[in-house]
């Protein structure tokens, strides 16, 4: 049922890339941990209202790119600007206007969702009564209103993920960075969150989305960027990428990141188990 | 407590703003941190932790103990001496406060100030480096102030009653400044270290440093009274030497003395100035120079876990060497493959788990430092002819700590493996694990201890050392058999807290009884030598018993 958006999204994506100002801009972005290079020169230009799917194998540098963009890792080389501001010098101003949902469900789980969201809201210097109202409404929409005042230690991964999503969006950011935002969610919540992402983009928000689940990326992204070993190896709409190989994104991904022949590896795996 | 702290913070609002923090954010962070401390047992503030509903009752209990113990010490030191000779007792009083604050900071503070769990939650938010750092300092300082206050309350009252309210007030201020000074010293150290040490190595280095510092601070506290001949110092006015200006507790003592005697010569003015200026100068210095890239450094702490391809070959090679060694040891000391696996597993985890090292090694270090310090004490226990026995058995208590930590891990969730693997005799796992601990930690510890004791008290004490070692192993096994048995590294820290006090009490009573019996044996010719086989046999029987532990006797976390 999300397919109708795809064709529409393609058009808006292409149009916006030509006409609107860029929201995220990376030029020759490089970053190493110690002597290990992680990003080897990323060039990227994202304009408003796009949903960008940022994919790559484990250790390709996805999370590092996102951490640089949200201002958590200032010791990189090259330039990175978000909303027209340099990440190195204006990270606080950028942080006020972006939202980030990390991948590993990190939250203070001894708090209740309300307390946690109040705390996060205070860090953004939002008005406390406004946070409260907003948080309650959002929790209700995620069907967590019964749990609003229960400590999150007992929450399932999906419930935590919902709280995490709300905490990343509470201050109504202009740019949203999502790292595996669907992990742990049940099927209904997945549909809801995908729809939210789409409508956020329709409202002019820019979404930078990192995931390993290829068919979701395929369906919700206006533009797909594949990185491997710290370099961009493919960039375009799904339709554009399909020109290179008209199959699923999963197969395209495998081909581009050099992991073809998984069937053979699987056979070898079974064979080794038997020994 | 939370309410009081927030109230105080509100009063100091302009100070934080002047320091460059966003007060609203700082307050929110401190509030949430304190709230979480109250709920979860304080994992970060380890030994105060306990599961409790909404109040931090264990910390309160610690404070009460500090008040009583600190009060007794203060009473005995400050109540009697004449005002002319009060300088040295006052120095001891402040040294005591500083030592305890420093200990708390070193064992618990690093996990708070370097807490990377905030990375995902607070760093992506628009919170400045300075605000986050100040929030952490305020968070930890609130605990330190509570500790400093509870330690000094009796001293303050004594001084106030004897020398007037002003002297009491000054004593109170100096106690709080002692805490501030300790925050400064440890912080400077951490921040400087964060600046110069490569990021991946930071935690490892801090871990070892904590261990060394813990021992040094403890040793320093033991040593200070011995720098100056104590009998003399307690009865005579002190001649001030130049190096007295380098000892912080003396600044505080000198400052209080200006009002107590009262005196205002150049020496005391310098003390007063140092006591008042250094803590604040320290805070200012930290805030000005060291916090700028604090969050950046913090966010890079997590990166150490990145797999590094280039080094894989080298690591594999050293692992091969290392494991060959471990394999050989486990081959000698274990009897079946399950036990061997547990032996190697425990050996490796205890070498790498920072929390384990941090909880265990300082304790062992204290044990040694304490024995050495005590043995130098003239005219008391140290020179008595059974001190070495006391030392040997006293060390046994420290040994117990390691066994106690063996079942604890932050990765306790990984213990599902014990449930899903087809383990018929869990006793093998327990025994293998305990054997690794004995070979790896306890034997070297006793070896060091006995080298010192043989050196100091003569080679003929070898029989006593052997018997004490064997007895300690027996004690260790008895403690393991008597307490709740957990699989290695399978529970959270808190789970163990409940039965701790009763257990350690029991252990020390039994240690005392065994120690005295040992003393009795030394009076019989060859009594000690004769007892060794019995002790070893008991150890053997108990170990067999421990190995037979079935699933029913094991509590899974």
């Amino acid at each position: 049922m999300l397919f109708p958006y795809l064709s529409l999204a393609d058009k808006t994506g292409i149009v916006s890339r030509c006409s609107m100002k860029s929201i995220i801009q990376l030029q020759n972005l490089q970053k190493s941990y110690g002597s290990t290079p992680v990003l080897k020169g990323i060039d990227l230009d994202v304009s408003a209202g796009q949903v960008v799917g940022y994919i790559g194998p484990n250790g390709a540098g996805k999370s590092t790119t996102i951490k640089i963009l949200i201002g958590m890792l200032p010791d990189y080389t090259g330039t990175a600007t978000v909303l027209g501001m340099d990440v190195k010098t204006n990270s606080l101003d950028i942080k006020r206007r972006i939202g980030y949902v990390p991948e590993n469900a990190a939250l203070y789980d001894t708090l209740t969702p309300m307390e946690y969201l109040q705390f996060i809201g205070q860090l953004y210097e939002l008005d406390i009564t406004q946070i409260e109202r907003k948080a309650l409404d959002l929790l209700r929409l995620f069907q967590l209103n019964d749990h609003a005042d229960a400590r999150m230690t007992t929450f399932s991964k999906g419930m935590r993920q919902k709280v995490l999503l709300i905490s990343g969006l509470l201050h109504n950011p202009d740019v949203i960075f999502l790292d595996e935002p669907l992990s742990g969610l049940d099927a209904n919540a997945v549909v809801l969150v995908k729809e939210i992402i789409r409508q956020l983009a329709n409202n002019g928000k820019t979404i930078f989305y990192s995931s390993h689940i290829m068919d979701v990326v395929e369906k919700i992204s206006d533009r797909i960027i594949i990185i491997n070993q710290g370099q961009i190896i493919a960039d375009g709409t799904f339709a554009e990428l399909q020109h290179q190989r008209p199959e699923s994104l999963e197969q395209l991904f495998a081909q581009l990141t050099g992991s073809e022949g998984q069937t053979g590896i699987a056979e070898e795996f079974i064979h080794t188990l038997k020994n | 407590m939370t309410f009081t702290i927030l109230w105080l913070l509100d009063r100091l609002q302009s100070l934080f703003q002047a320091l460059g923090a966003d007060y609203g954010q700082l307050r929110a962070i401190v509030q949430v941190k304190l709230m979480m401390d109250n709920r979860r047992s304080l994992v970060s503030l380890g030994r105060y932790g306990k599961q409790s509903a909404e109040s931090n009752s264990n910390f309160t209990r610690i404070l009460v103990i500090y008040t009583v113990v600190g009060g007794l010490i203060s009473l005995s030191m400050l109540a009697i001496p004449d005002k002319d000779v009060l300088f040295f007792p006052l120095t001891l009083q402040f040294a005591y406060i500083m030592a305890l604050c420093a200990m708390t900071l070193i064992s618990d503070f690093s996990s708070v100030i370097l807490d990377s769990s905030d990375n995902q939650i607070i760093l992506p938010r628009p919170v400045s480096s300075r605000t986050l750092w100040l929030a952490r300092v305020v968070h930890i300082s609130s605990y330190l102030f509570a500790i400093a206050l509870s330690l000094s309350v009796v001293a303050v009252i004594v001084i106030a009653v004897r020398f007037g309210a002003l002297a009491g007030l000054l004593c109170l201020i100096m106690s709080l400044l002692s805490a501030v000074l300790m925050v400064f010293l440890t912080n400077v150290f951490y921040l400087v270290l964060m600046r110069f040490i490569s990021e991946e190595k930071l935690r490892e280095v801090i871990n070892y440093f904590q261990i060394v510092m813990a021992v040094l601070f403890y040793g320093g506290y033991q040593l200070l009274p011995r720098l100056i001949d104590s009998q003399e110092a307690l009865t005579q006015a002190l001649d001030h030497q130049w190096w007295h200006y380098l000892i912080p507790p003396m600044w505080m003592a000198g400052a209080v003395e200006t009002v107590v005697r009262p005196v205002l010569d150049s020496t005391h003015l310098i003390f007063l100035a140092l006591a008042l200026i250094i803590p604040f100068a320290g805070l200012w210095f930290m805030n000005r120079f060291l916090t700028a890239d604090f969050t950046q450094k913090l966010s890079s702490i997590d990166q150490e876990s990145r797999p590094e391809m280039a080094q894989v070959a080298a690591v594999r090679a050293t692992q091969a060497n290392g494991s060959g060694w471990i394999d050989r040891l486990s081959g000698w000391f274990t009897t079946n493959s399950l036990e061997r696996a547990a032996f190697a597993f425990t050996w490796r985890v205890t070498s790498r788990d920072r929390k384990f090292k941090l909880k265990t090694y300082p304790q062992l270090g204290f044990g040694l430092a304490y024995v050495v310090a005590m043995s130098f004490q003239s005219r008391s226990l140290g020179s008595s002819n059974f001190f070495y026995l006391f030392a040997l058995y006293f060390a046994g208590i420290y040994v117990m700590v390691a066994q106690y930590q063996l079942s604890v891990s932050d990765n306790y969730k990984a213990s599902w493996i014990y449930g899903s693997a087809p383990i018929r005799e869990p006793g093998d796992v327990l025994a293998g694990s305990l054997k690794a601990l004995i070979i790896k930690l306890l034997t070297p510890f006793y070896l060091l201890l006995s080298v010192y004791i043989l050196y100091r008290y003569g080679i003929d004490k070898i029989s006593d050392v052997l018997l004490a070692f064997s007895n300690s192993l027996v004690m260790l096994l008895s403690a393991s058999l008597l307490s709740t048995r957990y699989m290695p590294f399978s529970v959270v820290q808190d789970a163990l807290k409940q039965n701790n006090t009763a257990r350690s009490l029991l252990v020390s009573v039994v240690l005392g009884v065994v120690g005295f019996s040992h003393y009795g044996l030394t009076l019989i010719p060859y009594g000690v030598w004769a007892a060794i086989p019995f002790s070893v046999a008991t150890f053997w029987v108990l170990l067999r018993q421990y190995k037979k532990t079935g699933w029913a006797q094991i509590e899974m976390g």
Side-chain angles (χ1 to χ4, degrees), chain A residues 33 72 95 102 107-108 110 115-116 119 123-125 151 167, chain B residues 22 25 32 36 39 54 118 120-121 123 125-126 299 303 306:
Chain A
Y33 291 118
M72 272 175 76
K95 282 177 184 177
L107 38 71
Y108 295 135
T110 46
E115 287 166 342
Y116 181 71
F119 168 62
L123 294 185
Y124 286 101
E125 291 156 321
R151 291 185 194 174
S167 82
Chain B
D22 180 310
Q25 293 178 339
V32 151
M36 291 193 295
R39 288 187 187 171
E54 188 72 40
D118 284 353
Q120 301 282 336
I121 300 167
L123 287 195
R125 321 286 173 189
S299 61
Q303 306 304 337
R306 282 194 77 83

mmCIF file of all heavy atoms in Angstrom, chain A residues 33 72 95 102 107-108 110 115-116 119 123-125 151 167, chain B residues 22 25 32 36 39 54 118 120-121 123 125-126 299 303 306:
data_model
loop_
_atom_site.group_PDB
_atom_site.id
_atom_site.type_symbol
_atom_site.label_atom_id
_atom_site.label_comp_id
_atom_site.label_asym_id
_atom_site.label_seq_id
_atom_site.Cartn_x
_atom_site.Cartn_y
_atom_site.Cartn_z
ATOM 1 N N TYR A 33 39.611 6.367 12.982
ATOM 2 C CA TYR A 33 39.778 6.073 14.400
ATOM 3 C C TYR A 33 41.197 5.571 14.571
ATOM 4 O O TYR A 33 41.524 4.495 14.086
ATOM 5 C CB TYR A 33 38.787 5.017 14.854
ATOM 6 C CG TYR A 33 37.364 5.508 14.854
ATOM 7 C CD1 TYR A 33 36.406 4.923 14.041
ATOM 8 C CD2 TYR A 33 36.979 6.556 15.676
ATOM 9 C CE1 TYR A 33 35.098 5.371 14.045
ATOM 10 C CE2 TYR A 33 35.678 7.017 15.679
ATOM 11 C CZ TYR A 33 34.749 6.419 14.870
ATOM 12 O OH TYR A 33 33.460 6.865 14.878
ATOM 13 N N MET A 72 28.447 14.936 16.966
ATOM 14 C CA MET A 72 29.032 14.191 18.078
ATOM 15 C C MET A 72 30.514 13.902 17.881
ATOM 16 O O MET A 72 31.220 13.632 18.845
ATOM 17 C CB MET A 72 28.281 12.876 18.281
ATOM 18 C CG MET A 72 27.098 12.996 19.208
ATOM 19 S SD MET A 72 26.178 11.470 19.298
ATOM 20 C CE MET A 72 27.233 10.482 20.352
ATOM 21 N N LYS A 95 22.212 21.082 16.623
ATOM 22 C CA LYS A 95 21.537 20.101 17.467
ATOM 23 C C LYS A 95 20.133 20.557 17.859
ATOM 24 O O LYS A 95 19.237 19.737 18.054
ATOM 25 C CB LYS A 95 22.358 19.826 18.725
ATOM 26 C CG LYS A 95 23.541 18.902 18.494
ATOM 27 C CD LYS A 95 24.344 18.728 19.756
ATOM 28 C CE LYS A 95 25.592 17.888 19.506
ATOM 29 N NZ LYS A 95 26.426 17.774 20.709
ATOM 30 N N PRO A 102 18.964 7.028 17.925
ATOM 31 C CA PRO A 102 20.090 6.092 17.811
ATOM 32 C C PRO A 102 19.606 4.652 17.662
ATOM 33 O O PRO A 102 18.444 4.351 17.924
ATOM 34 C CB PRO A 102 20.842 6.285 19.121
ATOM 35 C CG PRO A 102 19.826 6.768 20.076
ATOM 36 C CD PRO A 102 18.817 7.541 19.286
ATOM 37 N N LEU A 107 18.263 4.538 26.419
ATOM 38 C CA LEU A 107 17.513 5.540 27.187
ATOM 39 C C LEU A 107 17.647 5.211 28.664
ATOM 40 O O LEU A 107 18.074 4.128 29.029
ATOM 41 C CB LEU A 107 16.055 5.634 26.742
ATOM 42 C CG LEU A 107 15.262 4.391 26.336
ATOM 43 C CD1 LEU A 107 14.953 3.547 27.535
ATOM 44 C CD2 LEU A 107 13.987 4.815 25.649
ATOM 45 N N TYR A 108 17.316 6.174 29.508
ATOM 46 C CA TYR A 108 17.417 5.942 30.955
ATOM 47 C C TYR A 108 16.185 5.168 31.390
ATOM 48 O O TYR A 108 15.131 5.746 31.661
ATOM 49 C CB TYR A 108 17.489 7.273 31.696
ATOM 50 C CG TYR A 108 18.730 8.069 31.389
ATOM 51 C CD1 TYR A 108 18.652 9.419 31.132
ATOM 52 C CD2 TYR A 108 19.974 7.468 31.382
ATOM 53 C CE1 TYR A 108 19.793 10.161 30.860
ATOM 54 C CE2 TYR A 108 21.110 8.188 31.121
ATOM 55 C CZ TYR A 108 21.021 9.538 30.858
ATOM 56 O OH TYR A 108 22.140 10.254 30.594
ATOM 57 N N THR A 110 15.267 3.596 33.996
ATOM 58 C CA THR A 110 14.658 3.630 35.326
ATOM 59 C C THR A 110 13.626 4.752 35.421
ATOM 60 O O THR A 110 12.905 4.846 36.410
ATOM 61 C CB THR A 110 15.703 3.845 36.432
ATOM 62 O OG1 THR A 110 16.561 4.904 36.023
ATOM 63 C CG2 THR A 110 16.511 2.600 36.670
ATOM 64 N N GLU A 115 8.645 11.052 32.406
ATOM 65 C CA GLU A 115 9.813 11.696 33.031
ATOM 66 C C GLU A 115 10.947 11.828 32.035
ATOM 67 O O GLU A 115 11.628 12.862 31.964
ATOM 68 C CB GLU A 115 10.285 10.874 34.241
ATOM 69 C CG GLU A 115 9.378 10.965 35.434
ATOM 70 C CD GLU A 115 9.680 9.906 36.473
ATOM 71 O OE1 GLU A 115 10.349 8.910 36.151
ATOM 72 O OE2 GLU A 115 9.222 10.061 37.607
ATOM 73 N N TYR A 116 11.139 10.771 31.253
ATOM 74 C CA TYR A 116 12.229 10.792 30.280
ATOM 75 C C TYR A 116 11.997 11.872 29.232
ATOM 76 O O TYR A 116 12.896 12.644 28.901
ATOM 77 C CB TYR A 116 12.356 9.416 29.622
ATOM 78 C CG TYR A 116 13.479 9.337 28.627
ATOM 79 C CD1 TYR A 116 14.798 9.344 29.061
ATOM 80 C CD2 TYR A 116 13.223 9.285 27.266
ATOM 81 C CE1 TYR A 116 15.839 9.287 28.158
ATOM 82 C CE2 TYR A 116 14.264 9.230 26.350
ATOM 83 C CZ TYR A 116 15.566 9.231 26.800
ATOM 84 O OH TYR A 116 16.595 9.190 25.912
ATOM 85 N N PHE A 119 12.528 15.279 30.616
ATOM 86 C CA PHE A 119 13.960 15.551 30.721
ATOM 87 C C PHE A 119 14.529 15.967 29.366
ATOM 88 O O PHE A 119 15.204 16.995 29.249
ATOM 89 C CB PHE A 119 14.667 14.307 31.258
ATOM 90 C CG PHE A 119 16.157 14.342 31.146
ATOM 91 C CD1 PHE A 119 16.895 15.306 31.804
ATOM 92 C CD2 PHE A 119 16.837 13.400 30.386
ATOM 93 C CE1 PHE A 119 18.275 15.333 31.709
ATOM 94 C CE2 PHE A 119 18.210 13.421 30.279
ATOM 95 C CZ PHE A 119 18.931 14.389 30.946
ATOM 96 N N LEU A 123 16.174 19.594 27.950
ATOM 97 C CA LEU A 123 17.483 19.787 27.321
ATOM 98 C C LEU A 123 17.352 20.649 26.064
ATOM 99 O O LEU A 123 18.293 21.306 25.657
ATOM 100 C CB LEU A 123 18.121 18.447 26.967
ATOM 101 C CG LEU A 123 18.505 17.556 28.154
ATOM 102 C CD1 LEU A 123 19.240 16.321 27.672
ATOM 103 C CD2 LEU A 123 19.374 18.305 29.147
ATOM 104 N N TYR A 124 16.162 20.616 25.454
ATOM 105 C CA TYR A 124 15.928 21.473 24.291
ATOM 106 C C TYR A 124 15.330 22.815 24.704
ATOM 107 O O TYR A 124 14.937 23.599 23.859
ATOM 108 C CB TYR A 124 14.996 20.778 23.300
ATOM 109 C CG TYR A 124 15.659 19.666 22.543
ATOM 110 C CD1 TYR A 124 15.450 18.348 22.902
ATOM 111 C CD2 TYR A 124 16.508 19.937 21.476
ATOM 112 C CE1 TYR A 124 16.073 17.320 22.216
ATOM 113 C CE2 TYR A 124 17.133 18.916 20.791
ATOM 114 C CZ TYR A 124 16.911 17.614 21.153
ATOM 115 O OH TYR A 124 17.534 16.607 20.484
ATOM 116 N N GLU A 125 15.235 23.005 26.026
ATOM 117 C CA GLU A 125 14.685 24.239 26.581
ATOM 118 C C GLU A 125 13.269 24.516 26.103
ATOM 119 O O GLU A 125 12.900 25.647 25.813
ATOM 120 C CB GLU A 125 15.628 25.417 26.279
ATOM 121 C CG GLU A 125 16.922 25.284 27.062
ATOM 122 C CD GLU A 125 18.093 26.030 26.436
ATOM 123 O OE1 GLU A 125 18.188 26.020 25.198
ATOM 124 O OE2 GLU A 125 18.885 26.597 27.179
ATOM 125 N N ARG A 151 7.745 2.619 34.892
ATOM 126 C CA ARG A 151 9.180 2.661 34.605
ATOM 127 C C ARG A 151 9.508 1.790 33.393
ATOM 128 O O ARG A 151 8.943 0.727 33.214
ATOM 129 C CB ARG A 151 9.976 2.176 35.805
ATOM 130 C CG ARG A 151 9.872 3.162 36.937
ATOM 131 C CD ARG A 151 10.738 2.774 38.096
ATOM 132 N NE ARG A 151 10.337 3.559 39.252
ATOM 133 C CZ ARG A 151 10.822 3.392 40.462
ATOM 134 N NH1 ARG A 151 11.717 2.447 40.670
ATOM 135 N NH2 ARG A 151 10.422 4.136 41.460
ATOM 136 N N SER A 167 11.180 10.809 21.601
ATOM 137 C CA SER A 167 12.195 11.700 22.182
ATOM 138 C C SER A 167 13.044 12.362 21.108
ATOM 139 O O SER A 167 13.546 13.456 21.294
ATOM 140 C CB SER A 167 13.074 10.940 23.173
ATOM 141 O OG SER A 167 14.083 10.228 22.494
ATOM 142 N N ASP B 22 24.482 26.251 30.899
ATOM 143 C CA ASP B 22 23.074 26.568 30.724
ATOM 144 C C ASP B 22 22.357 26.014 31.945
ATOM 145 O O ASP B 22 22.265 24.798 32.121
ATOM 146 C CB ASP B 22 22.570 25.914 29.449
ATOM 147 C CG ASP B 22 21.098 26.222 29.210
ATOM 148 O OD1 ASP B 22 20.276 26.040 30.132
ATOM 149 O OD2 ASP B 22 20.786 26.632 28.100
ATOM 150 N N GLN B 25 19.379 23.347 31.650
ATOM 151 C CA GLN B 25 19.824 22.015 31.257
ATOM 152 C C GLN B 25 20.577 21.334 32.389
ATOM 153 O O GLN B 25 20.364 20.161 32.680
ATOM 154 C CB GLN B 25 20.742 22.111 30.035
ATOM 155 C CG GLN B 25 20.019 22.589 28.786
ATOM 156 C CD GLN B 25 20.966 22.721 27.618
ATOM 157 O OE1 GLN B 25 22.181 22.828 27.797
ATOM 158 N NE2 GLN B 25 20.422 22.727 26.415
ATOM 159 N N VAL B 32 17.570 14.474 36.938
ATOM 160 C CA VAL B 32 17.327 13.133 36.405
ATOM 161 C C VAL B 32 18.344 12.137 36.953
ATOM 162 O O VAL B 32 18.006 11.010 37.308
ATOM 163 C CB VAL B 32 17.355 13.179 34.867
ATOM 164 C CG1 VAL B 32 17.807 11.867 34.283
ATOM 165 C CG2 VAL B 32 15.988 13.536 34.338
ATOM 166 N N MET B 36 17.435 8.885 39.143
ATOM 167 C CA MET B 36 17.792 7.529 38.743
ATOM 168 C C MET B 36 18.609 6.834 39.817
ATOM 169 O O MET B 36 18.437 5.647 40.056
ATOM 170 C CB MET B 36 18.557 7.551 37.422
ATOM 171 C CG MET B 36 17.674 7.962 36.258
ATOM 172 S SD MET B 36 18.434 7.637 34.679
ATOM 173 C CE MET B 36 19.830 8.727 34.725
ATOM 174 N N ARG B 39 16.410 5.344 42.299
ATOM 175 C CA ARG B 39 15.611 4.190 41.895
ATOM 176 C C ARG B 39 16.448 2.961 41.714
ATOM 177 O O ARG B 39 16.283 1.972 42.376
ATOM 178 C CB ARG B 39 14.907 4.505 40.587
ATOM 179 C CG ARG B 39 13.833 5.478 40.865
ATOM 180 C CD ARG B 39 13.012 5.689 39.658
ATOM 181 N NE ARG B 39 12.107 6.774 39.957
ATOM 182 C CZ ARG B 39 11.346 7.338 39.067
ATOM 183 N NH1 ARG B 39 11.379 6.917 37.821
ATOM 184 N NH2 ARG B 39 10.555 8.315 39.411
ATOM 185 N N GLU B 54 12.084 4.135 46.405
ATOM 186 C CA GLU B 54 12.213 5.506 45.943
ATOM 187 C C GLU B 54 13.173 6.289 46.826
ATOM 188 O O GLU B 54 13.295 7.487 46.725
ATOM 189 C CB GLU B 54 10.828 6.157 45.896
ATOM 190 C CG GLU B 54 10.716 7.527 45.269
ATOM 191 C CD GLU B 54 10.867 7.476 43.758
ATOM 192 O OE1 GLU B 54 10.329 6.541 43.145
ATOM 193 O OE2 GLU B 54 11.511 8.365 43.196
ATOM 194 N N ASP B 118 25.618 8.170 28.607
ATOM 195 C CA ASP B 118 25.041 9.459 28.242
ATOM 196 C C ASP B 118 25.260 9.789 26.772
ATOM 197 O O ASP B 118 24.585 10.639 26.220
ATOM 198 C CB ASP B 118 25.668 10.584 29.070
ATOM 199 C CG ASP B 118 25.117 10.607 30.475
ATOM 200 O OD1 ASP B 118 24.173 9.853 30.733
ATOM 201 O OD2 ASP B 118 25.633 11.374 31.284
ATOM 202 N N GLN B 120 24.646 8.426 23.900
ATOM 203 C CA GLN B 120 23.531 8.308 22.966
ATOM 204 C C GLN B 120 22.374 9.222 23.357
ATOM 205 O O GLN B 120 21.562 9.581 22.528
ATOM 206 C CB GLN B 120 23.024 6.863 22.931
ATOM 207 C CG GLN B 120 24.073 5.858 22.530
ATOM 208 C CD GLN B 120 24.304 5.866 21.038
ATOM 209 O OE1 GLN B 120 23.441 6.253 20.272
ATOM 210 N NE2 GLN B 120 25.486 5.458 20.618
ATOM 211 N N ILE B 121 22.300 9.545 24.646
ATOM 212 C CA ILE B 121 21.114 10.253 25.118
ATOM 213 C C ILE B 121 21.337 11.761 25.193
ATOM 214 O O ILE B 121 20.526 12.538 24.718
ATOM 215 C CB ILE B 121 20.680 9.699 26.493
ATOM 216 C CG1 ILE B 121 20.356 8.208 26.340
ATOM 217 C CG2 ILE B 121 19.472 10.448 27.022
ATOM 218 C CD1 ILE B 121 20.221 7.473 27.635
ATOM 219 N N LEU B 123 24.489 13.575 24.435
ATOM 220 C CA LEU B 123 25.360 14.229 23.453
ATOM 221 C C LEU B 123 24.649 14.663 22.169
ATOM 222 O O LEU B 123 24.995 15.690 21.602
ATOM 223 C CB LEU B 123 26.559 13.339 23.116
ATOM 224 C CG LEU B 123 27.643 13.224 24.185
ATOM 225 C CD1 LEU B 123 28.901 12.627 23.605
ATOM 226 C CD2 LEU B 123 27.957 14.566 24.807
ATOM 227 N N ARG B 125 21.883 15.959 21.949
ATOM 228 C CA ARG B 125 21.019 17.116 22.268
ATOM 229 C C ARG B 125 21.874 18.377 22.340
ATOM 230 O O ARG B 125 23.088 18.305 22.546
ATOM 231 C CB ARG B 125 20.313 16.902 23.607
ATOM 232 C CG ARG B 125 19.849 15.506 23.866
ATOM 233 C CD ARG B 125 18.638 15.157 23.043
ATOM 234 N NE ARG B 125 18.317 13.726 23.192
ATOM 235 C CZ ARG B 125 17.420 13.110 22.464
ATOM 236 N NH1 ARG B 125 16.747 13.746 21.519
ATOM 237 N NH2 ARG B 125 17.169 11.826 22.642
ATOM 238 N N PRO B 126 21.228 19.513 22.227
ATOM 239 C CA PRO B 126 22.008 20.757 22.252
ATOM 240 C C PRO B 126 22.505 21.113 23.653
ATOM 241 O O PRO B 126 22.088 22.101 24.240
ATOM 242 C CB PRO B 126 21.025 21.804 21.727
ATOM 243 C CG PRO B 126 19.684 21.248 22.000
ATOM 244 C CD PRO B 126 19.805 19.762 21.950
ATOM 245 N N SER B 299 32.776 11.134 23.640
ATOM 246 C CA SER B 299 32.114 10.360 22.595
ATOM 247 C C SER B 299 33.095 9.419 21.920
ATOM 248 O O SER B 299 32.699 8.436 21.317
ATOM 249 C CB SER B 299 31.479 11.288 21.569
ATOM 250 O OG SER B 299 32.458 12.071 20.963
ATOM 251 N N GLN B 303 34.528 4.338 21.065
ATOM 252 C CA GLN B 303 35.025 3.835 19.789
ATOM 253 C C GLN B 303 36.027 2.702 19.943
ATOM 254 O O GLN B 303 36.349 2.023 18.985
ATOM 255 C CB GLN B 303 35.686 4.970 18.992
ATOM 256 C CG GLN B 303 34.810 6.158 18.794
ATOM 257 C CD GLN B 303 33.510 5.803 18.129
ATOM 258 O OE1 GLN B 303 33.402 4.798 17.456
ATOM 259 N NE2 GLN B 303 32.490 6.622 18.330
ATOM 260 N N ARG B 306 35.724 -0.710 18.263
ATOM 261 C CA ARG B 306 35.781 -0.955 16.818
ATOM 262 C C ARG B 306 36.772 -2.053 16.480
ATOM 263 O O ARG B 306 37.889 -2.046 16.959
ATOM 264 C CB ARG B 306 36.219 0.314 16.083
ATOM 265 C CG ARG B 306 35.143 1.325 15.929
ATOM 266 C CD ARG B 306 35.581 2.347 14.933
ATOM 267 N NE ARG B 306 35.472 1.840 13.574
ATOM 268 C CZ ARG B 306 34.354 1.850 12.888
ATOM 269 N NH1 ARG B 306 33.266 2.302 13.415
ATOM 270 N NH2 ARG B 306 34.322 1.381 11.669
#
